[in-house]
Amino acid sequence: MMRTRPLKVALLGCGVVGSEVARIMTTHADDLTQRIGAPVELAGVAVRRPSKVREGIDPALVTTDATALLKRGDIDIVIEVIGGIEPARTLITTAFEHGISVVSANKALLAQDGAALHAAAEQHGLDLYYEAAVAGAIPLVRPMRESLAGDKINRVMGIVNGTTNFILDKMDSTGAGYQEALDEATALGYAEADPTADVEGYDAAAKAAILAGIAFHTRVRLDDVYREGMTEVSAADFASAKRMGCTIKLLAILERAADGQSVTARVHPAMIPLSHPLASVREAYNAVFVEAEAAGRLMFYGPGAGGSPTASAVLGDLVAVCRNKLAEATGPGESAYTQLPVSPMGDVVTRYHISLDVADKPGVLAQVATTFAEHGVSIDTVRQQGRPDGVGNEASLVVVTHRAPDAALSGTVEALRKLDTVRGVASIMRVEGE
Ligand code: NDP
Ligand code: HSE
């Protein structure tokens, strides 16, 4: 039976994502009605600048008073695409207090306050859906939360930020400069309102926290995630990576410890072999590997940012929440029953690529090798060559290690810096994906 009374939607935010959500809601209205079993109506649009011209949006729907919109009594579902912590947090909480389910794309808020928001949704018997918060258009949250609910996820590794992948890809493939590539990503609508969140790894760390919580059924907050951004990655790093048959990607890596008693969550740039599937992820695309005990390795791939791809994920959630509402049911809530501690980065086992500028004289190689041995770090390969810039009496030494705890690797680098024969550490990068 088709319900004729429409489900009323309040759209909070009408920028890159919100404007595309509104456009698809309008152009696909008939299909959405059929899929949901009731019409959905855009009943109000909250923004910051009411006088801005918004194509396809009836100006009568636009307001700057989002709170009044939520309190007016006829709203069934809220779509929050404002971003940031406040006022988004208060508005979502207000929506729950007024019996309104929420769809949000706000990873920063979910990574910081997800537990409280899930608790509020549960307390009021409402939905909180957030597929768009991680990896743009890619269905990832729901497959991990629902399709893999009967399996045991042990590892998640992937590219979860479109802006930084776009920048790194441009630097690698066209030799573009960092700022030029960032400006292009911003113009294409990929970057956050403050792109520092992208390039310093905060956005990827927020997504990592959300995914770790879902994967390991535990609470992982943004602060638990080890984070390094990509602003230090240089053309020289790409040249080094190329010589090793690698490229550089900003990765999010989440792992359950072998004894199952703890987890790790980290975001940092890493060299990966060109033969690895993540190496061929171009532009603002994202890709995530999920390793589950019974399923084996799954790969999720697709557009990771941008208005239209992200709106696709928001609309998928909207349909699900509308269906739940008509069925007087809710979807699955948070599953965080394990309370596993998040181990520090020092405990993570990884490999380093280290490029040193050293004195070109007898005994230097032995001294460097001894320093690695003293820290229990085994060397995989060493390559020495004269400095390309022709600096006299200096050589460049590139060491790639075997796997070792990160604390031992960073301890080795600190000790190397103190050697008289080491003139400088030109670059350090972790090596993943082998
Ligand atoms: P934009 O900056 O383009 O849009 C933000 C919108 O929120 C604007 O319409 C703005 O109004 C409105 N707004 C800001 N402050 C207020 C306020 N106090 N009250 C009411 N409205 C307000 O952001 P995006 O669309 O890019 O991102 C929105 C959310 O989606 C963020 O959480 C982001 O992380 C997430 N996201 C974004 C993706 C992307 O590719 N862009 C991908 C995945 C998720 P006005 O138009 O008047 O300025
Ligand atoms: N700024 C984000 C990115 C948007 O570039 O990945 C998608 O979450």
Side-chain angles (χ1 to χ4, degrees):
M1 276 287 286
M2 184 73 70
R3 185 176 110 147
T4 49
R5 190 166 67 77
L7 289 161
K8 294 200 174 187
V9 176
L11 181 63
L12 310 186
C14 192
V16 172
V17 178
S19 59
E20 281 298 301
V21 169
R23 182 186 64 77
I24 298 171
M25 278 183 72
T26 309
T27 55
H28 294 185
D30 291 343
D31 283 333
L32 291 171
T33 301
Q34 295 299 326
R35 290 172 200 172
I36 291 166
V40 271
E41 178 189 319
L42 191 55
V45 181
V47 297
R48 189 176 33 192
R49 294 167 294 165
S51 51
K52 188 179 165 202
V53 176
R54 298 173 200 270
E55 202 186 322
I57 306 274
D58 177 355
L61 296 180
V62 175
T63 176
T64 52
D65 194 344
T67 308
L69 175 60
L70 300 181
K71 288 184 176 174
R72 73 183 201 194
D74 64 338
I75 300 299
D76 296 295
I77 291 142
V78 156
I79 297 175
E80 183 276 307
V81 279
I82 292 176
I85 305 301
E86 287 293 354
R89 176 173 49 197
T90 303
L91 291 170
I92 291 176
T93 309
T94 305
F96 290 144
E97 286 164 0
H98 288 76
I100 306 169
S101 285
V102 174
V103 173
S104 174
N106 194 334
K107 52 270 166 134
L109 179 59
L110 283 155
Q112 182 177 302
D113 288 323
L117 295 175
H118 279 291
E122 197 177 332
Q123 184 198 335
H124 294 282
L126 296 164
D127 276 327
L128 172 60
Y129 274 53
Y130 49 93
E131 183 63 69
V134 185
I138 306 173
L140 182 60
V141 168
R142 207 161 320 148
M144 282 177 63
R145 201 157 81 150
E146 298 182 34
S147 315
L148 291 167
D151 207 332
K152 183 178 179 188
I153 297 175
N154 288 321
R155 192 164 191 266
V156 178
M157 172 165 119
I159 296 166
V160 293
N161 182 273
T163 302
T164 49
N165 200 60
F166 184 90
I167 297 170
L168 292 170
D169 180 38
K170 291 282 172 210
M171 287 171 77
D172 191 19
S173 59
T174 69
Y178 163 80
Q179 192 59 48
E180 179 193 343
L182 173 58
D183 290 347
E184 199 179 340
T186 305
L188 289 166
Y190 301 148
E192 294 301 302
D194 175 1
T196 311
D198 297 294
V199 298
E200 294 295 355
Y202 291 100
D203 179 80
K207 292 164 177 167
I210 294 168
L211 289 181
I214 298 169
F216 306 132
H217 300 271
T218 193
R219 289 237 164 87
V220 178
R221 286 168 51 96
L222 178 60
D223 294 347
D224 297 321
V225 181
Y226 175 83
R227 177 199 53 79
E228 276 176 34
M230 48 69 65
T231 50
E232 305 286 312
V233 177
S234 64
D237 291 324
F238 275 111
S240 275
K242 237 166 223 155
R243 279 195 289 273
M244 279 180 62
C246 288
T247 188
I248 298 169
K249 296 290 184 188
L250 186 77
L251 298 182
I253 304 175
L254 320 168
E255 291 167 308
R256 190 194 291 277
D259 65 4
Q261 298 305 304
S262 61
V263 298
T264 55
R266 54 188 163 121
V267 165
H268 54 71
M271 290 186 185
I272 54 168
L274 290 170
S275 56
H276 194 282
L278 289 180
S280 50
V281 176
R282 307 287 306 273
E283 303 208 322
Y285 278 73
N286 285 186
V288 179
F289 280 100
V290 177
E291 292 178 28
E293 212 167 77
R297 286 184 103 196
L298 307 168
M299 184 175 173
F300 298 84
Y301 171 80
S308 169
T310 308
S312 165
V314 171
L315 264 295
D317 280 354
L318 177 66
V319 170
V321 172
C322 287
R323 286 173 176 163
N324 290 344
K325 185 160 176 73
L326 293 180
E328 296 181 4
T330 53
E334 187 190 30
S335 171
Y337 61 91
T338 58
Q339 295 167 18
L340 296 171
V342 184
S343 301
M345 185 62 195
D347 291 359
V348 169
V349 174
T350 182
R351 300 173 66 206
Y352 269 26
H353 169 284
I354 304 165
S355 179
L356 303 168
D357 296 329
V358 297
D360 195 2
K361 62 182 191 185
V364 172
L365 196 53
Q367 210 183 13
V368 167
T370 302
T371 306
F372 277 89
E374 282 168 356
H375 289 80
V377 175
S378 171
I379 291 174
D380 181 14
T381 60
V382 182
R383 197 183 66 242
Q384 180 171 349
Q385 61 187 40
R387 284 270 301 263
D389 51 11
V391 174
N393 303 322
E394 274 197 18
S396 168
L397 202 59
V398 177
V399 180
V400 181
T401 73
H402 283 297
R403 282 162 60 81
D406 203 82
L409 291 160
S410 56
T412 307
V413 174
E414 284 320 300
L416 288 169
R417 285 186 202 279
K418 290 180 187 145
L419 294 180
D420 290 343
T421 47
V422 172
R423 306 271 156 81
V425 179
S427 92
I428 313 163
M429 194 153 309
R430 297 180 183 88
V431 182
E432 298 288 343
E434 287 174 313

